[in-house]
Amino acid sequence: MSISASRKIFASLSTMALAALSLTSVSAMAQELKPESAPLGLYAGATFGLSAAQWHCGSSCDRVTFSGKLFGGKRITPGLAAEVNYMFFGGMDRANDTARTAETGEAAMRQKERAVTVGINWEVELKHGFTNQLRAGWAFTRQDQKITKADNTEVRKMVYDSAPYVGAGIAFQLNREVKLLSGFDYIINGHESQYLFSVGASAEF
């Protein structure tokens, strides 16, 4: 897939994600104004925590950074929903050893990653207000890289890619509309894989 095509796909999916989140906000306002109206089967939320990268490590590198995600979904059945996630992974630094610097011409790199995922969220009710959540879909990623060359010059570039995405978590129904969440998300992409362990909440309208 060309970089220009990947860029267009990423931009389109980012717009879809923002539109989904905006729609759920509007729905929440409508629910407050008309409490007698039936639930729309829409939900939105956010989680924050730590992510881990699986990238190559040279003489030194960061493996863990503060990250999070925003998400919105529409229920197809009571236990199954179509879902969009916007994930953001914090900046991480890597310094190459002498051999890798000579091989690649890159002495160091600072990288941030963003991802838009589309997929499904399947919820299985356990007991006492707890539900198990299983997610699967496809992730479209963008890496913002600042590369320090062997001659100490700096180059900035964006790298677009796509990969399978899975997730799992536990939710607790705090009240009729609000759930507390803990989860694990995984973008499966070899040495470019990202893990996210996070907690947060969601509201349903």
Side-chain angles (χ1 to χ4, degrees):
M1 182 181 291
S2 67
I3 291 178
S4 60
S6 297
R7 192 190 306 266
K8 290 179 181 178
I9 292 173
F10 188 91
S12 299
L13 288 170
S14 297
T15 302
M16 288 169 56
L18 292 175
L21 295 175
S22 298
L23 179 59
T24 53
S25 298
V26 171
S27 300
M29 294 175 62
Q31 187 73 6
E32 290 177 359
L33 293 174
K34 297 182 179 181
E36 74 281 0
S37 62
L40 299 176
L42 298 172
Y43 63 88
T47 64
F48 301 92
L50 297 175
S51 68
Q54 201 171 326
W55 64 346
H56 286 290
C57 192
S59 59
S60 65
C61 69
D62 296 330
R63 289 286 192 189
V64 178
T65 184
F66 178 77
S67 304
K69 70 174 182 176
L70 306 173
F71 60 91
K74 173 68 172 75
R75 295 202 178 279
I76 303 169
T77 70
L80 185 67
E83 189 174 273
V84 178
N85 292 271
Y86 173 72
M87 299 182 184
F88 48 93
F89 301 95
M92 293 187 294
D93 296 293
R94 176 180 69 193
N96 288 331
D97 54 28
T98 304
R100 189 163 180 84
T101 299
E103 178 185 350
T104 64
E106 299 175 356
M109 176 191 293
R110 180 167 180 79
Q111 177 175 291
K112 293 182 179 180
E113 185 167 329
R114 304 288 182 267
V116 174
T117 74
V118 291
I120 59 170
N121 176 23
W122 179 40
E123 294 188 348
V124 180
E125 187 173 354
L126 302 176
K127 58 181 180 178
H128 304 303
F130 287 92
T131 56
N132 185 29
Q133 299 183 328
L134 300 174
R135 294 179 170 87
W138 202 259
F140 298 84
T141 64
R142 187 188 80 182
Q143 296 174 347
D144 296 284
Q145 299 176 343
K146 183 174 74 172
I147 300 169
T148 302
K149 295 288 190 178
D151 60 3
N152 213 35
T153 59
E154 289 187 350
V155 176
R156 295 178 181 269
K157 68 177 183 178
M158 291 186 293
V159 178
Y160 293 85
D161 203 354
S162 64
Y165 153 76
V166 295
I170 295 290
F172 174 71
Q173 193 79 43
L174 188 63
N175 56 44
R176 182 175 177 274
E177 293 83 16
V178 178
K179 288 181 178 179
L180 302 181
L181 309 171
S182 64
F184 165 74
D185 298 285
Y186 180 29
I187 297 175
I188 309 168
N189 197 18
H191 287 294
E192 301 300 328
S193 295
Q194 291 276 5
Y195 307 84
L196 173 62
F197 302 88
S198 60
V199 296
S202 67
E204 189 154 346
F205 317 107

